[in-house]
Amino acid sequence: MRALLRQTTYLPDSAAREFFHHHIVDSFRHYCPRTPKQSDGTLIKKPWLAARFQQRMKDARKGWRTLVRANHGSRKHLRQVLEMAYGRRGKQKYNLMRDVVPPELSQDSKALEELSLIIEDRHKNLESKEPRLSEKLSALIRAQRFQKDSLFAKKNIRSAEPSIPEQNIWLRPFPKKREKNIRKQWYAETMDRLMPPLPEADWNRLKDLSSGRLSWEGPRPPRQRAEGQYMTDEYGSDWDSDSHELTPRYMRHMWENVFVQCPMMWWHTERQRWWVSWGRPQTETAVSIGADFDCLDDGAFEGVDAEGKLK
């Protein structure tokens, strides 16, 4: 645990440092294996407890290696750390989904895979048991559907609603059981690929970091021994072959990769509906503002008419 917490202090993002510190502490506090005792005080040995402890330690070592590689500037692992800190994957993602998913639907990943219809009585009409998507959730699904697939780590949402044919291949009414399975599969895939909106303060901060408006404090130096030598064995530049120097330009690029996956939602009072704003790369932002074409030579469009066709 100390090694994990030490690596969190070296992370180049303050939000990531705070998130992983609480995540590590809560994980160790949540899993406190207590060996039961008999009435005479002797311990009851359970074989499965040792195997579970070994698996937890294996996960902890894997997480430590991820943090070390992220601190060395590995593109893959640093992006994974930032995506977890800003709720693009992992536990934080499902915590942010609580503001979007209706309260009658469960939030954990296991329930999201199993639950697509609210079934209370098998004898009632199946159409009354469809998952009631809130207006906010429907607006977010429709907005993400038009985003580029290359911006997301996973595949983007295919459709805003499940595609259910009216008839099967034998030109008979489509079976209700098959319709239920299609809706279940669509809901599970949509919830897995959906990106929850960030709070306005976090969204604006990430936008300023990716654009360079908010200056980066720089990488934190490793801990120093008493004799004045750095602990290069745990925080050295040659620890990983995929290491990269943490420069302001490199960090802006990493923040931008996360920012394009982050929406922000607010209620539009005039149009009376939810409005979704997605992060954009800085290149697209510059083009949307406008470009200066006065620098082009007059001969650049020689041989082309006013409609853009060759003369």
Side-chain angles (χ1 to χ4, degrees):
M1 179 177 178
R2 292 181 61 186
L4 287 169
L5 293 177
R6 185 183 300 114
Q7 290 299 324
T8 58
T9 60
Y10 300 148
L11 291 175
D13 184 83
S14 58
R17 291 195 296 266
E18 181 180 359
F19 167 76
F20 278 97
H21 177 82
H22 293 292
H23 178 67
I24 293 170
V25 173
D26 294 342
S27 299
F28 274 84
R29 286 179 179 176
H30 178 71
Y31 179 73
C32 295
R34 297 180 180 179
T35 305
K37 299 181 180 181
Q38 297 181 358
S39 58
D40 56 354
T42 58
L43 299 179
I44 301 177
K45 296 183 179 180
K46 294 186 177 182
W48 59 267
L49 190 60
R52 183 181 179 186
F53 179 77
Q54 293 296 331
Q55 181 62 35
R56 295 293 182 176
M57 292 301 298
K58 182 179 179 180
D59 297 339
R61 286 190 291 267
K62 181 180 178 181
W64 177 83
R65 288 191 293 267
T66 300
L67 293 176
V68 172
R69 289 188 173 97
N71 289 325
H72 292 160
S74 173
R75 182 181 300 272
K76 174 183 176 182
H77 297 89
L78 182 56
R79 179 172 178 173
Q80 179 181 354
V81 167
L82 293 177
E83 287 179 350
M84 292 182 64
Y86 289 98
R88 302 306 95 188
R89 64 169 69 190
K91 182 180 179 180
Q92 184 68 5
K93 175 182 177 181
Y94 292 99
N95 292 336
L96 295 175
M97 289 286 289
R98 295 176 181 176
D99 298 334
V100 183
V101 178
E104 63 268 13
L105 300 182
S106 181
Q107 301 298 320
D108 55 329
S109 58
K110 183 178 180 180
L112 289 177
E113 295 177 358
E114 298 177 353
L115 180 61
S116 66
L117 302 177
I118 304 174
I119 302 178
E120 297 178 354
D121 189 358
R122 295 183 180 180
H123 301 286
K124 292 183 180 180
N125 188 5
L126 185 63
E127 296 179 357
S128 63
K129 308 184 188 71
E130 296 181 2
R132 292 171 290 177
L133 302 181
S134 63
E135 184 179 358
K136 189 175 183 180
L137 179 59
S138 300
L140 182 61
I141 293 175
R142 290 193 303 266
Q144 182 173 335
R145 180 169 166 261
F146 294 100
Q147 304 302 315
K148 296 181 180 179
D149 296 344
S150 59
L151 302 178
F152 302 96
K154 297 182 178 180
K155 294 182 179 180
N156 197 9
I157 298 176
R158 297 180 180 178
S159 59
E161 58 183 11
S163 177
I164 300 177
E166 297 181 358
Q167 296 178 343
N168 57 10
I169 58 176
W170 293 282
L171 301 180
R172 296 176 182 177
F174 202 74
K176 295 294 183 179
K177 188 173 182 180
R178 179 57 181 152
E179 178 182 351
K180 171 183 146 182
N181 294 334
I182 292 178
R183 293 184 183 277
K184 180 184 295 186
Q185 182 181 3
W186 172 85
Y187 187 78
E189 292 180 355
T190 303
M191 292 296 103
D192 182 56
R193 299 173 183 179
L194 187 65
M195 293 298 171
L198 276 181
E200 184 178 359
D202 297 340
W203 193 85
N204 291 329
R205 179 182 176 274
L206 188 58
K207 177 182 178 182
D208 295 339
L209 287 172
S210 61
S211 62
R213 297 178 182 177
L214 185 61
S215 59
W216 179 45
E217 64 272 13
R220 291 197 169 189
R223 296 179 62 183
Q224 198 171 10
R225 296 184 184 272
E227 58 270 18
Q229 296 180 356
Y230 286 101
M231 301 173 65
T232 56
D233 54 342
E234 72 163 7
Y235 192 62
S237 59
D238 55 349
W239 195 89
D240 190 6
S241 59
D242 192 28
S243 61
H244 192 284
E245 182 182 0
L246 296 178
T247 61
R249 182 176 180 271
Y250 182 72
M251 287 304 303
R252 287 196 301 268
H253 180 68
M254 298 303 301
W255 279 316
E256 184 178 292
N257 291 336
V258 181
F259 180 62
V260 295
Q261 305 179 49
C262 299
M264 181 182 62
M265 302 188 68
W266 72 92
W267 179 256
H268 203 294
T269 56
E270 297 180 358
R271 302 189 178 185
Q272 292 296 313
R273 62 169 180 161
W274 287 101
W275 205 257
V276 185
S277 179
W278 281 86
R280 286 287 183 268
Q282 298 304 313
T283 54
E284 294 187 8
T285 303
V287 172
S288 62
I289 295 176
D292 186 10
F293 295 99
D294 295 338
C295 59
L296 295 177
D297 190 6
D298 294 337
F301 299 100
E302 185 177 359
V304 181
D305 57 9
E307 297 180 358
K309 299 181 180 179
L310 296 177
K311 294 181 181 180

